[in-house]
Amino acid sequence: GAMVAAIVHLYNSESHNAQKTPAERAKAKLTNKPLSGSKLSKANPAVGQGCGAYQCRTGGKHAGVDILATDGTKLQAPGSGTASVGYLKGYGKTVLINHGDGVQTRFAHLASYTVKEGAKVTVTTDIGTVGRTGNVPSGGQSHLHFEVLVDGNRINPSDVFTWTQDK
């Protein structure tokens, strides 16, 4: 009896989880807003217009947010998880954190990494520093390109965290 009840309870909690939106699932895992005092970039130097917000880049969707910050600003993990580190075309030096439940965060254009491949991270872990590696125009401002992925699909990071928009 008890075993069946436990299995039914497990099944119900799993199916309940499926009802959560991707943003709700991300919010459950991510508690530490990256660059909390910073603003989203309004300008997109690559095309001279558009903005650093989600899906408002001219000539292609922008799959994350660009958060303005000075070179070398330390970045902490937004939630607990396991880090992957590497250089990606366009993104430059990148840290991807797997937070569980299909939730991942990506930090791009970093100047440096301060975590190693496979490292376990928490919200107090320094993961890297802001820079301009990868596809950042020479005149472009230093910024963090930040993405939130749920089940491999990029969602709007502004559905998880709120930043102010640079005027």
Side-chain angles (χ1 to χ4, degrees):
M3 186 57 149
V4 171
I7 290 168
V8 168
H9 175 74
L10 185 68
Y11 174 78
N12 285 340
S13 63
E14 286 296 314
S15 59
H16 171 72
N17 184 45
Q19 306 310 310
K20 285 187 178 173
T21 67
E24 286 168 342
R25 286 168 57 196
K27 280 181 180 175
K29 295 288 182 183
L30 308 176
T31 56
N32 184 30
K33 180 163 74 167
L35 298 171
S36 59
S38 301
K39 294 176 184 289
L40 294 186
S41 167
K42 183 164 183 283
N44 173 17
V47 291
Q49 59 183 321
C51 69
Y54 182 72
Q55 289 194 346
C56 65
R57 180 159 284 185
T58 311
K61 286 184 173 177
H62 189 212
V65 291
D66 289 340
I67 309 164
L68 297 174
T70 53
D71 276 323
T73 302
K74 284 184 180 177
L75 297 164
Q76 277 83 35
S80 298
T82 306
S84 297
V85 178
Y87 193 97
L88 294 176
K89 188 175 184 331
Y91 285 107
K93 290 183 177 177
T94 302
V95 173
L96 179 76
I97 303 173
N98 190 344
H99 301 279
D101 192 30
V103 178
Q104 297 173 305
T105 51
R106 182 181 282 137
F107 295 76
H109 306 318
L110 304 183
S112 66
Y113 315 117
T114 42
V115 286
K116 299 224 176 342
E117 178 68 28
K120 297 272 186 273
V121 300
T122 68
V123 292
T124 57
T125 307
D126 284 340
I127 58 168
T129 58
V130 173
R132 50 178 74 218
T133 57
N135 188 12
V136 177
S138 55
Q141 291 173 283
S142 295
H143 65 274
L144 168 68
H145 174 85
F146 176 68
E147 295 178 0
V148 177
L149 300 91
V150 179
D151 296 335
N153 300 310
R154 291 179 284 203
I155 68 167
N156 188 348
S158 296
D159 289 343
V160 182
F161 299 112
T162 308
W163 294 270
T164 53
Q165 176 78 50
D166 187 33
K167 293 298 178 268

